[in-house]
Amino acid sequence: MGPSGPGSRGPACADSSGVLLVRKSKAKPNGKKPAAEEKKMYLEPEYTKSRITDVGFKELVVLPREIDLNEWLASNTTTFFHHVNLQYSTISEFCTGEACQTMAVCNTQYYWYDERGKKVKCTAPQYVDFVMSSVQKLVTDEDVFPTKYGREFPSSFESLVKKICKYLFHVLAHIYWSHFKETLALELHGHLNTLYVHFILFAREFNLLDPKETAVMDDLTEVLCSGGGRGGGGGDGASGGGAGAQNHGKER
């Protein structure tokens, strides 16, 4: 099985244990009040307009004729993993245990659970390491993401892709929420916006992300993904709770 999407499967990440599993908790993150009213620089028009290409991603994500659905999902999911990993690496030196003591996005905090279901208290960089290591293990597993001719995808493949997309979304959202200033200073916000649009429209095309999961970034999604991913107004904006959905503190 050869890659049929933009990019191919490949580079390894740091080795950590962990599984693609998330559960909700009722405790407040660090006992601190979330910065709900903090100004979101990434929503400023001068920055949301920035892209590295003007291609219409809404058309690009559609399943091509003669391409197997699972193959299309596998190729694109692997490519998104590599790009999100690369995008995070550009600001990883700023995402430290001291600066990001929790994996937070707006009023939401994400927790990691190990293979035994035990809650792991970790910083944002540790959480991202768990995500990248677990996804790397999956996309290089021939029993899950087969690359050899004649190998079949497992019956659980779509659900695994959904879990991967959920975790990649967490990483992208954290970059916007906690590290957009650094991304801006590096002049990589156009790359980040382009990646976010492509990823969200692909996930939306194949129902890979629960709207409740992505509600925390609905305001950004509305701005970036309206107009088929070209940054226009109206039309294909995000569905769901919108910016108002961010007014309630929660943990996952």
Side-chain angles (χ1 to χ4, degrees), residues 200-218:
I200 290 296
L201 291 180
F202 182 82
R204 186 183 294 174
E205 176 72 15
F206 299 100
N207 298 313
L208 301 175
L209 286 170
D210 187 335
K212 293 180 181 179
E213 187 71 40
T214 59
V216 68
M217 298 296 285
D218 269 354

PDB file of all heavy atoms in Angstrom, residues 200-218:
ATOM      1  N   ILE A 200      -8.807  20.740   9.904  1.00  0.00           N
ATOM      2  CA  ILE A 200     -10.200  20.845  10.333  1.00  0.00           C
ATOM      3  C   ILE A 200     -11.155  20.476   9.202  1.00  0.00           C
ATOM      4  O   ILE A 200     -12.145  19.748   9.412  1.00  0.00           O
ATOM      5  CB  ILE A 200     -10.516  22.267  10.845  1.00  0.00           C
ATOM      6  CG1 ILE A 200      -9.805  22.535  12.167  1.00  0.00           C
ATOM      7  CG2 ILE A 200     -12.024  22.463  10.996  1.00  0.00           C
ATOM      8  CD1 ILE A 200     -10.256  21.659  13.324  1.00  0.00           C
ATOM      9  N   LEU A 201     -10.888  20.949   7.992  1.00  0.00           N
ATOM     10  CA  LEU A 201     -11.779  20.642   6.873  1.00  0.00           C
ATOM     11  C   LEU A 201     -11.717  19.156   6.504  1.00  0.00           C
ATOM     12  O   LEU A 201     -12.724  18.571   6.110  1.00  0.00           O
ATOM     13  CB  LEU A 201     -11.435  21.512   5.664  1.00  0.00           C
ATOM     14  CG  LEU A 201     -11.758  23.007   5.825  1.00  0.00           C
ATOM     15  CD1 LEU A 201     -11.371  23.771   4.574  1.00  0.00           C
ATOM     16  CD2 LEU A 201     -13.248  23.216   6.136  1.00  0.00           C
ATOM     17  N   PHE A 202     -10.552  18.556   6.638  1.00  0.00           N
ATOM     18  CA  PHE A 202     -10.445  17.115   6.386  1.00  0.00           C
ATOM     19  C   PHE A 202     -11.237  16.341   7.443  1.00  0.00           C
ATOM     20  O   PHE A 202     -12.005  15.431   7.122  1.00  0.00           O
ATOM     21  CB  PHE A 202      -8.976  16.681   6.412  1.00  0.00           C
ATOM     22  CG  PHE A 202      -8.785  15.222   6.117  1.00  0.00           C
ATOM     23  CD1 PHE A 202      -8.757  14.762   4.808  1.00  0.00           C
ATOM     24  CD2 PHE A 202      -8.637  14.296   7.149  1.00  0.00           C
ATOM     25  CE1 PHE A 202      -8.599  13.406   4.527  1.00  0.00           C
ATOM     26  CE2 PHE A 202      -8.481  12.945   6.884  1.00  0.00           C
ATOM     27  CZ  PHE A 202      -8.451  12.497   5.571  1.00  0.00           C
ATOM     28  N   ALA A 203     -11.053  16.713   8.693  1.00  0.00           N
ATOM     29  CA  ALA A 203     -11.765  16.040   9.785  1.00  0.00           C
ATOM     30  C   ALA A 203     -13.272  16.221   9.640  1.00  0.00           C
ATOM     31  O   ALA A 203     -14.052  15.295   9.907  1.00  0.00           O
ATOM     32  CB  ALA A 203     -11.292  16.585  11.130  1.00  0.00           C
ATOM     33  N   ARG A 204     -13.682  17.381   9.206  1.00  0.00           N
ATOM     34  CA  ARG A 204     -15.103  17.657   9.029  1.00  0.00           C
ATOM     35  C   ARG A 204     -15.677  16.851   7.868  1.00  0.00           C
ATOM     36  O   ARG A 204     -16.799  16.337   7.940  1.00  0.00           O
ATOM     37  CB  ARG A 204     -15.303  19.157   8.791  1.00  0.00           C
ATOM     38  CG  ARG A 204     -16.758  19.585   8.741  1.00  0.00           C
ATOM     39  CD  ARG A 204     -16.871  21.058   8.419  1.00  0.00           C
ATOM     40  NE  ARG A 204     -16.321  21.890   9.480  1.00  0.00           N
ATOM     41  CZ  ARG A 204     -16.191  23.211   9.384  1.00  0.00           C
ATOM     42  NH1 ARG A 204     -16.537  23.821   8.274  1.00  0.00           N
ATOM     43  NH2 ARG A 204     -15.705  23.900  10.401  1.00  0.00           N
ATOM     44  N   GLU A 205     -14.891  16.710   6.806  1.00  0.00           N
ATOM     45  CA  GLU A 205     -15.337  15.971   5.626  1.00  0.00           C
ATOM     46  C   GLU A 205     -15.675  14.521   5.954  1.00  0.00           C
ATOM     47  O   GLU A 205     -16.618  13.950   5.409  1.00  0.00           O
ATOM     48  CB  GLU A 205     -14.242  16.024   4.550  1.00  0.00           C
ATOM     49  CG  GLU A 205     -14.525  15.215   3.298  1.00  0.00           C
ATOM     50  CD  GLU A 205     -15.609  15.817   2.411  1.00  0.00           C
ATOM     51  OE1 GLU A 205     -15.953  17.003   2.605  1.00  0.00           O
ATOM     52  OE2 GLU A 205     -16.116  15.103   1.520  1.00  0.00           O
ATOM     53  N   PHE A 206     -14.912  13.940   6.879  1.00  0.00           N
ATOM     54  CA  PHE A 206     -15.103  12.523   7.211  1.00  0.00           C
ATOM     55  C   PHE A 206     -15.592  12.306   8.642  1.00  0.00           C
ATOM     56  O   PHE A 206     -15.510  11.192   9.173  1.00  0.00           O
ATOM     57  CB  PHE A 206     -13.789  11.764   6.969  1.00  0.00           C
ATOM     58  CG  PHE A 206     -13.331  11.833   5.537  1.00  0.00           C
ATOM     59  CD1 PHE A 206     -12.335  12.729   5.162  1.00  0.00           C
ATOM     60  CD2 PHE A 206     -13.910  11.040   4.564  1.00  0.00           C
ATOM     61  CE1 PHE A 206     -11.921  12.822   3.845  1.00  0.00           C
ATOM     62  CE2 PHE A 206     -13.509  11.122   3.237  1.00  0.00           C
ATOM     63  CZ  PHE A 206     -12.511  12.016   2.877  1.00  0.00           C
ATOM     64  N   ASN A 207     -16.114  13.368   9.256  1.00  0.00           N
ATOM     65  CA  ASN A 207     -16.684  13.285  10.611  1.00  0.00           C
ATOM     66  C   ASN A 207     -15.722  12.643  11.609  1.00  0.00           C
ATOM     67  O   ASN A 207     -16.084  11.725  12.353  1.00  0.00           O
ATOM     68  CB  ASN A 207     -18.000  12.489  10.579  1.00  0.00           C
ATOM     69  CG  ASN A 207     -19.053  13.151   9.722  1.00  0.00           C
ATOM     70  OD1 ASN A 207     -19.293  14.352   9.831  1.00  0.00           O
ATOM     71  ND2 ASN A 207     -19.676  12.368   8.854  1.00  0.00           N
ATOM     72  N   LEU A 208     -14.503  13.145  11.630  1.00  0.00           N
ATOM     73  CA  LEU A 208     -13.470  12.563  12.476  1.00  0.00           C
ATOM     74  C   LEU A 208     -13.341  13.246  13.841  1.00  0.00           C
ATOM     75  O   LEU A 208     -12.663  12.727  14.722  1.00  0.00           O
ATOM     76  CB  LEU A 208     -12.115  12.616  11.762  1.00  0.00           C
ATOM     77  CG  LEU A 208     -12.055  11.881  10.416  1.00  0.00           C
ATOM     78  CD1 LEU A 208     -10.702  12.102   9.754  1.00  0.00           C
ATOM     79  CD2 LEU A 208     -12.327  10.388  10.606  1.00  0.00           C
ATOM     80  N   LEU A 209     -13.971  14.405  14.006  1.00  0.00           N
ATOM     81  CA  LEU A 209     -13.893  15.137  15.264  1.00  0.00           C
ATOM     82  C   LEU A 209     -15.291  15.462  15.778  1.00  0.00           C
ATOM     83  O   LEU A 209     -16.140  15.934  15.021  1.00  0.00           O
ATOM     84  CB  LEU A 209     -13.106  16.440  15.085  1.00  0.00           C
ATOM     85  CG  LEU A 209     -11.591  16.324  14.934  1.00  0.00           C
ATOM     86  CD1 LEU A 209     -10.998  17.675  14.528  1.00  0.00           C
ATOM     87  CD2 LEU A 209     -10.947  15.835  16.223  1.00  0.00           C
ATOM     88  N   ASP A 210     -15.512  15.205  17.050  1.00  0.00           N
ATOM     89  CA  ASP A 210     -16.783  15.538  17.691  1.00  0.00           C
ATOM     90  C   ASP A 210     -16.864  17.056  17.844  1.00  0.00           C
ATOM     91  O   ASP A 210     -15.933  17.674  18.365  1.00  0.00           O
ATOM     92  CB  ASP A 210     -16.838  14.877  19.057  1.00  0.00           C
ATOM     93  CG  ASP A 210     -18.188  15.031  19.742  1.00  0.00           C
ATOM     94  OD1 ASP A 210     -18.910  15.995  19.428  1.00  0.00           O
ATOM     95  OD2 ASP A 210     -18.506  14.196  20.607  1.00  0.00           O
ATOM     96  N   PRO A 211     -17.953  17.693  17.373  1.00  0.00           N
ATOM     97  CA  PRO A 211     -18.105  19.148  17.523  1.00  0.00           C
ATOM     98  C   PRO A 211     -17.932  19.626  18.957  1.00  0.00           C
ATOM     99  O   PRO A 211     -17.450  20.734  19.191  1.00  0.00           O
ATOM    100  CB  PRO A 211     -19.532  19.393  17.024  1.00  0.00           C
ATOM    101  CG  PRO A 211     -19.768  18.301  16.034  1.00  0.00           C
ATOM    102  CD  PRO A 211     -19.078  17.101  16.629  1.00  0.00           C
ATOM    103  N   LYS A 212     -18.314  18.791  19.927  1.00  0.00           N
ATOM    104  CA  LYS A 212     -18.146  19.175  21.327  1.00  0.00           C
ATOM    105  C   LYS A 212     -16.663  19.254  21.684  1.00  0.00           C
ATOM    106  O   LYS A 212     -16.260  20.061  22.518  1.00  0.00           O
ATOM    107  CB  LYS A 212     -18.848  18.157  22.234  1.00  0.00           C
ATOM    108  CG  LYS A 212     -20.363  18.151  22.105  1.00  0.00           C
ATOM    109  CD  LYS A 212     -20.983  17.125  23.037  1.00  0.00           C
ATOM    110  CE  LYS A 212     -22.502  17.108  22.895  1.00  0.00           C
ATOM    111  NZ  LYS A 212     -23.118  16.094  23.783  1.00  0.00           N
ATOM    112  N   GLU A 213     -15.865  18.409  21.050  1.00  0.00           N
ATOM    113  CA  GLU A 213     -14.434  18.390  21.309  1.00  0.00           C
ATOM    114  C   GLU A 213     -13.754  19.643  20.759  1.00  0.00           C
ATOM    115  O   GLU A 213     -12.828  20.180  21.362  1.00  0.00           O
ATOM    116  CB  GLU A 213     -13.808  17.144  20.655  1.00  0.00           C
ATOM    117  CG  GLU A 213     -12.345  16.930  20.987  1.00  0.00           C
ATOM    118  CD  GLU A 213     -12.135  16.502  22.430  1.00  0.00           C
ATOM    119  OE1 GLU A 213     -12.930  15.691  22.936  1.00  0.00           O
ATOM    120  OE2 GLU A 213     -11.178  17.003  23.043  1.00  0.00           O
ATOM    121  N   THR A 214     -14.226  20.100  19.616  1.00  0.00           N
ATOM    122  CA  THR A 214     -13.584  21.239  18.956  1.00  0.00           C
ATOM    123  C   THR A 214     -14.209  22.586  19.309  1.00  0.00           C
ATOM    124  O   THR A 214     -13.739  23.619  18.852  1.00  0.00           O
ATOM    125  CB  THR A 214     -13.637  21.063  17.429  1.00  0.00           C
ATOM    126  OG1 THR A 214     -15.016  20.955  17.009  1.00  0.00           O
ATOM    127  CG2 THR A 214     -12.886  19.812  16.994  1.00  0.00           C
ATOM    128  N   ALA A 215     -15.258  22.562  20.129  1.00  0.00           N
ATOM    129  CA  ALA A 215     -15.964  23.811  20.464  1.00  0.00           C
ATOM    130  C   ALA A 215     -15.053  24.843  21.106  1.00  0.00           C
ATOM    131  O   ALA A 215     -15.271  26.047  20.980  1.00  0.00           O
ATOM    132  CB  ALA A 215     -17.145  23.506  21.393  1.00  0.00           C
ATOM    133  N   VAL A 216     -14.018  24.368  21.790  1.00  0.00           N
ATOM    134  CA  VAL A 216     -13.098  25.272  22.476  1.00  0.00           C
ATOM    135  C   VAL A 216     -12.406  26.229  21.504  1.00  0.00           C
ATOM    136  O   VAL A 216     -11.956  27.306  21.891  1.00  0.00           O
ATOM    137  CB  VAL A 216     -12.049  24.448  23.261  1.00  0.00           C
ATOM    138  CG1 VAL A 216     -11.117  23.704  22.329  1.00  0.00           C
ATOM    139  CG2 VAL A 216     -11.273  25.324  24.221  1.00  0.00           C
ATOM    140  N   MET A 217     -12.347  25.848  20.213  1.00  0.00           N
ATOM    141  CA  MET A 217     -11.708  26.697  19.200  1.00  0.00           C
ATOM    142  C   MET A 217     -12.681  27.094  18.092  1.00  0.00           C
ATOM    143  O   MET A 217     -12.261  27.459  16.989  1.00  0.00           O
ATOM    144  CB  MET A 217     -10.509  25.960  18.588  1.00  0.00           C
ATOM    145  CG  MET A 217      -9.413  25.620  19.569  1.00  0.00           C
ATOM    146  SD  MET A 217      -8.617  27.069  20.303  1.00  0.00           S
ATOM    147  CE  MET A 217      -7.611  27.637  18.937  1.00  0.00           C
ATOM    148  N   ASP A 218     -13.970  27.045  18.380  1.00  0.00           N
ATOM    149  CA  ASP A 218     -14.967  27.361  17.358  1.00  0.00           C
ATOM    150  C   ASP A 218     -14.808  28.769  16.787  1.00  0.00           C
ATOM    151  O   ASP A 218     -15.074  29.001  15.608  1.00  0.00           O
ATOM    152  CB  ASP A 218     -16.385  27.194  17.910  1.00  0.00           C
ATOM    153  CG  ASP A 218     -16.935  25.790  17.685  1.00  0.00           C
ATOM    154  OD1 ASP A 218     -16.257  24.991  17.006  1.00  0.00           O
ATOM    155  OD2 ASP A 218     -18.035  25.504  18.185  1.00  0.00           O
TER     156      ASP A 218
END
